[in-house]
Structure formats: C-alpha cells, structure tokens
Amino acid sequence: MAYSKVAWSLIILLGSSDDASGFTTCRSASLTKQHDTRLHSTTAPDDVSTKNPLGGVDSFEEWFAANSSSGAQVNSIKHALFSSNSLRGLEFTSTKSSDLSKVAVVPRKLVLSAPFSDDEVEQEGGRSWDTNLSVKLWQECTKGKNSAYYGYCALLTRGANMEQKQTYPSTAPDALRHWTSTQKALLETTENGKKLLNVEQKQQEEWKQKYANLNASEKANMSFEDFQWAMEAVHSRAFRGDFGALDGGEGGPLRKIASLLLPLSALAFGIIYASDPSMNKFYIPLSIVAAAPVALTIIADSKGSKEAVMLPLIDSANHLQEADSVIEFDPSVDGFVLSLGRKCLVKDVDDGRERAQVCISYGVRKDSELLLNYGFLRGVTMDGIKSDDGDVDRSLIRQR
C-alpha cells in the first residue's frame, strides 16, 4: 500500500483506446440466473410518495459546486433517470476513455464518517458505528440549509429536508422491512425465505435496541421511525474501509502527518539540490526526512484507521458487481476520488436515445443482504414495471 494513497481493493482497468463506447449491456427482465451483465440499483427506485425522481438534485448540485474551492470536482458525469425514468443514477457524458479517470473528487469536509470496527460489539459508550453515523445523518438533515451537508441531505430526502418536512421518503423502498405481510408470505414457502425473514426480524430487534440506547436528547429529536430511516440510508449507502488520513481511528493522525511530510521532503530535496548538486552534507538528514512518511504510515497501519463513510455523488452510482471501479482516499487532495473502468458503463436505451449509466461495485453481496438492505436481487430487473401514472409498481417488483 502506497503512503500517498489508500485505495479500495477494486482494480480499475482503463485500457488503451480513447473510445469509451464499449458498453456493458443491461438485458431484459428474466428469472433465469444470468450473472454477468445485470444492473441493479443500490440507491433503490423512487418512493411512491415522491413524484419527482430528481428531487433534491438541484440543491445538491448547488451545494457541491459551492464547495469547489475545497476540492469538490465532478467530471463527465451527472445525475439522470434511467429505465423509463424509474431509476435515478449517474450518466457518463463523455465518449473518451481518458475521461474515465477521476470523474469525481469528494473532499473530506463533505463526507459524513464514523470509526468502524469489524466486531459486532457496541463501541463508544454502548454505541455501534451505524448508530453513530445514523445519528449524525439525521441531525444534519433536520438542520435544512443550515447544515454543512444540506446538499447531500437534499439528495437523500428528495429535497424534503429543505422544506422542513417531518418525514422523508425511503432510500431503499423495496428493502424487506417495507414489504407487506402478504408480500412476505411469498418467502414463507421456502426454507431460505423463512431464514431471510428471521434475519430481517433480528435486524429490526437490534435496531430497536440501538434506538433505546440513545440518550434522552437524541430520542427527543428523532422517533424510532426517523432512526430507522437513517439506519436504512447508512446500511444501503455507506462504504467501509481503511481510508488512511481520516481523523478516525488511532492511525489517522499519523497518516495525516505523513501526507504533509511527503511534499515538504520533496521540496527540501529540490531546493538543496539546486544550490548544491553534490548534497553530501545534507544527504543523511534529508534521507531521514524523506523516509519519515513511510515510517509513519507503517506505524499507522499497525494501529488501524477503519472508517465508515457516506460519499456524496459517488454513492449516487448504482451497483454492478462486475464494475471495475476504484474509490480511493487521496491525502494529496484530502478527498475521495472515483475512477471508472469500461465495465462501469451500462448501456441504457430509452426513446431511441442511447446513454451510458455509471455503475460501481459495492463488492460481493449475498442475496440475503441485497434483499434485506437494498431491495433487489441479481438476475431480477425493473424492466417493464410501471403503472399508468408513471409511478413504479412496488408490488410487482417484490413479486419478481
């Protein structure tokens, strides 16, 4: 692992051609298990209570652009609707492979985060990572435009946070917790279905207990339904990993110092070499300075710095397991960078118009996790599902 960047274990293969039009194709709906080219939403289709699928996008774009001085960048991608306007995601607007690199840079100041542990035990005074992140998210959403994250909250709430509404549309409306008793009865006919229902019940019990562990002030400002909304957003959108220079974890500050020492040591070498090319009397002290970032990073790795993060714009991309995307934290820009590969582009043809939807991989997910937290399964698409008034028919989706 290089000390200047900490990357996810997702490898990007950009190729040498300058033409990015070699799309992965999203096939028509079928119950056969064709694993390689299916596109499914991690952000989930729009809630039936929301008539504007792109609600909150304008506020988000205003907010993101206002933070350009802090390093926020968006290149060759934009929010768009796919699958006959029933699915929100990101569109790749270029045809050049060279534009697949660094399509988004999200500065750390725009990222909600919480220390993460692989252990399922509660942390920090009886609170787990998802509890901490959910409470942060809810508190920011209720501030409206006074929040430093108001644009991101607008994207998650379809703009409801800007209107100070008391309830927000679900970020994963087809997740199992939203199924009716009749719809859940479909799962009771198989052993795997029964196991999944038990997992869902256990998750609900755990979330209720986590809500009960909140302090009185927090519970006064959010009901269990509010907490559940935030937990759903966190579990369907948060990324987890070792992101280096973030403040969380014991190793975070050390990596931050290392990232600052790197350019300083390079500058010192350059200045002294220009004045004294032999550098004989400066060689040893400068070598120590140059080695410091590496040493600090090694120490930081031993201490650990795992974080759970919510990444505005990046998490708007829908999930394709085979997508060759890379998300990495780059200390030199103090932000998260998204780069794409050819497999990240999925062809969408609507009204005779061909576009490329951007997909990223959230890693390998079991069917039980997909249905529990996201509301979809591999091999089942939304093709052809639409009611007369333009809303998505949730019942038909769940039957599939």
Side-chain angles (χ1 to χ4, degrees):
M1 181 181 294
Y3 56 79
S4 60
K5 279 186 179 177
V6 181
W8 281 75
S9 58
L10 304 177
I11 308 301
I12 186 167
L13 302 171
L14 291 178
S16 57
S17 170
D18 199 43
D19 182 3
S21 61
F23 300 131
T24 296
T25 301
C26 182
R27 300 177 183 171
S28 59
S30 171
L31 294 182
T32 58
K33 294 183 178 179
Q34 302 174 16
H35 300 294
D36 297 329
T37 56
R38 297 307 183 99
L39 169 67
H40 311 280
S41 166
T42 51
T43 55
D46 302 302
D47 192 299
V48 295
S49 66
T50 304
K51 299 300 182 181
N52 183 8
L54 290 177
V57 169
D58 288 344
S59 295
F60 173 82
E61 291 179 346
E62 171 195 12
W63 169 76
F64 202 75
N67 282 280
S68 59
S69 60
S70 299
Q73 297 180 34
V74 55
N75 305 302
S76 302
I77 59 173
K78 68 176 184 178
H79 283 94
L81 297 179
F82 302 92
S83 300
S84 299
N85 295 329
S86 62
L87 177 67
R88 189 169 76 176
L90 295 178
E91 178 184 349
F92 185 66
T93 59
S94 175
T95 59
K96 297 180 180 180
S97 290
S98 57
D99 291 334
L100 290 168
S101 179
K102 297 183 179 180
V103 295
V105 178
V106 182
R108 179 162 55 99
K109 66 174 289 188
L110 302 185
V111 174
L112 284 168
S113 65
F116 169 78
S117 172
D118 290 316
D119 297 332
E120 290 298 322
V121 297
E122 298 283 300
Q123 310 164 6
E124 296 185 12
R127 291 162 65 117
S128 61
W129 69 270
D130 53 356
T131 297
N132 290 326
L133 196 50
S134 296
V135 170
K136 281 186 180 181
L137 175 62
W138 180 260
Q139 289 174 342
E140 294 301 331
C141 286
T142 57
K143 294 177 183 177
K145 201 164 184 178
N146 291 324
S147 169
Y149 305 90
Y150 80 87
Y152 182 52
C153 291
L155 203 62
L156 296 181
T157 66
R158 299 289 196 264
N161 69 310
M162 304 299 288
E163 302 173 10
Q164 296 294 302
K165 291 184 177 179
Q166 298 301 309
T167 58
Y168 300 147
S170 169
T171 57
D174 293 312
L176 188 57
R177 70 185 65 88
H178 298 300
W179 288 31
T180 66
S181 298
T182 301
Q183 292 163 348
K184 287 182 178 180
L186 297 171
L187 296 175
E188 294 175 351
T189 59
T190 66
E191 287 302 315
N192 286 338
K194 292 177 182 178
K195 291 179 181 178
L196 182 56
L197 290 173
N198 288 335
V199 171
E200 188 263 338
Q201 182 178 1
K202 181 179 179 182
Q203 184 188 63
Q204 286 297 296
E205 292 172 353
E206 290 175 348
W207 286 10
K208 289 178 181 177
Q209 185 58 54
K210 290 178 179 182
Y211 177 75
N213 290 339
L214 299 181
N215 62 46
S217 175
E218 290 167 337
K219 284 190 282 190
N221 291 315
M222 63 187 309
S223 65
F224 173 71
E225 288 72 22
D226 300 332
F227 179 72
Q228 182 174 249
W229 176 88
M231 288 285 278
E232 179 175 273
V234 165
H235 279 271
S236 63
R237 304 181 80 96
F239 297 83
R240 293 169 288 179
D242 187 345
F243 299 115
L246 289 176
D247 291 327
E250 295 180 66
L254 293 176
R255 282 198 185 86
K256 183 174 290 185
I257 295 172
S259 68
L260 294 175
L261 282 176
L262 177 62
L264 291 177
S265 61
L267 179 63
F269 262 108
I271 292 174
I272 294 176
Y273 181 79
S275 60
D276 181 9
S278 67
M279 299 179 61
N280 290 331
K281 60 182 177 180
F282 301 105
Y283 185 79
I284 293 178
L286 282 177
S287 295
I288 294 175
V289 174
V294 179
L296 287 172
T297 301
I298 292 174
I299 296 173
D301 283 340
S302 67
K303 291 180 174 294
S305 181
K306 291 185 178 180
E307 293 284 303
V309 296
M310 301 189 75
L311 304 179
L313 184 61
I314 292 176
D315 67 11
S316 290
N318 290 313
H319 170 63
L320 181 67
Q321 185 169 298
E322 297 78 19
D324 47 348
S325 53
V326 169
I327 303 169
E328 56 190 0
F329 182 81
D330 186 347
S332 67
V333 298
D334 197 24
F336 289 84
V337 180
L338 170 64
S339 293
L340 307 174
R342 292 180 177 277
K343 295 179 181 179
C344 295
L345 304 183
V346 176
K347 182 168 66 176
D348 182 90
V349 180
D350 193 10
D351 295 329
R353 185 165 61 108
E354 185 176 285
R355 298 175 298 159
Q357 182 180 175
V358 172
C359 295
I360 63 176
S361 176
Y362 285 9
V364 178
R365 294 287 186 266
K366 296 180 180 179
D367 285 349
S368 57
E369 182 180 357
L370 292 176
L371 200 54
L372 186 66
N373 291 322
Y374 300 91
F376 66 83
L377 291 174
R378 286 167 56 81
V380 181
T381 72
M382 293 173 55
D383 295 354
I385 296 181
K386 209 169 184 69
S387 63
D388 293 338
D389 62 359
D391 286 331
V392 175
D393 191 328
R394 312 238 74 83
S395 180
L396 287 177
I397 292 174
R398 295 166 189 176
Q399 287 179 31
R400 289 189 174 185

